[in-house]
Amino acid sequence: MASLGNVQSDSEEHITYDDQQKINKFACCNTRLDDIKKDLETKETELNNLGDAEDEIMIALDTDEKVPFLVGEVFVYKTQESATEALAKEKEIITVEIARLKLKAAEFESSMGQLKADLYAKFGNNINLEA
């Protein structure tokens, strides 16, 4: 007959449906936050490139020289002034988009912080919510 002395009591927390929903929501938020961070990095690179292009136009060209400007898949020749205006508008659009992405990232981080606090309070070191 086998000995029952080796049976251990179940001291781990059981995961409820509500806990699973929180874990799933945290995972979704984490994935979306990663996507937003990638988009944010891309937008910031675009903004830097537009600033560099604007500087190059100012330095390298005469005021009456035409500038090739990419619109979709086609280059259109613009005057230095209209190219600079177009770059400024594009920079403004990207700056607004960056601000929107940062706000969205902050919302996800806040939500994740609350979920993380709730889950660590219940499960302690038995759960890992780090990237």
Side-chain angles (χ1 to χ4, degrees):
M1 187 162 184
S3 169
L4 296 177
N6 291 338
V7 176
Q8 296 177 353
S9 66
D10 188 9
S11 64
E12 294 182 10
E13 282 288 328
H14 292 284
I15 299 175
T16 64
Y17 176 78
D18 208 31
D19 296 333
Q20 188 61 50
Q21 292 302 100
K22 287 180 182 180
I23 292 167
N24 292 345
K25 185 174 181 182
F26 182 88
C28 277
C29 287
N30 193 35
T31 301
R32 289 181 183 160
L33 182 62
D34 285 343
D35 291 342
I36 288 173
K37 285 180 178 179
K38 288 175 188 171
D39 290 346
L40 193 55
E41 188 176 308
T42 301
K43 294 293 181 186
E44 288 173 344
T45 300
E46 285 180 32
L47 188 62
N48 287 337
N49 290 344
L50 289 173
D52 292 345
E54 199 171 39
D55 293 343
E56 283 296 318
I57 288 174
M58 295 295 183
I59 294 171
L61 299 176
D62 295 330
T63 55
D64 60 341
E65 200 172 338
K66 296 282 187 178
V67 178
F69 195 86
L70 184 64
V71 177
E73 296 180 8
V74 189
F75 281 99
V76 177
Y77 285 94
K78 294 187 173 206
T79 64
Q80 182 180 0
E81 183 179 325
S82 66
T84 302
E85 288 173 7
L87 286 173
K89 285 179 187 175
E90 192 66 30
K91 282 174 62 175
E92 185 178 318
I93 291 169
I94 291 175
T95 301
V96 169
E97 183 69 16
I98 287 172
R100 187 187 67 77
L101 287 170
K102 285 182 177 180
L103 182 63
K104 195 89 163 151
E107 289 172 6
F108 280 120
E109 287 171 346
S110 173
S111 177
M112 288 171 62
Q114 183 60 46
L115 290 168
K116 189 184 281 191
D118 292 348
L119 291 167
Y120 275 129
K122 181 168 184 179
F123 297 107
N125 292 335
N126 294 328
I127 192 167
N128 182 10
L129 300 173
E130 303 303 319

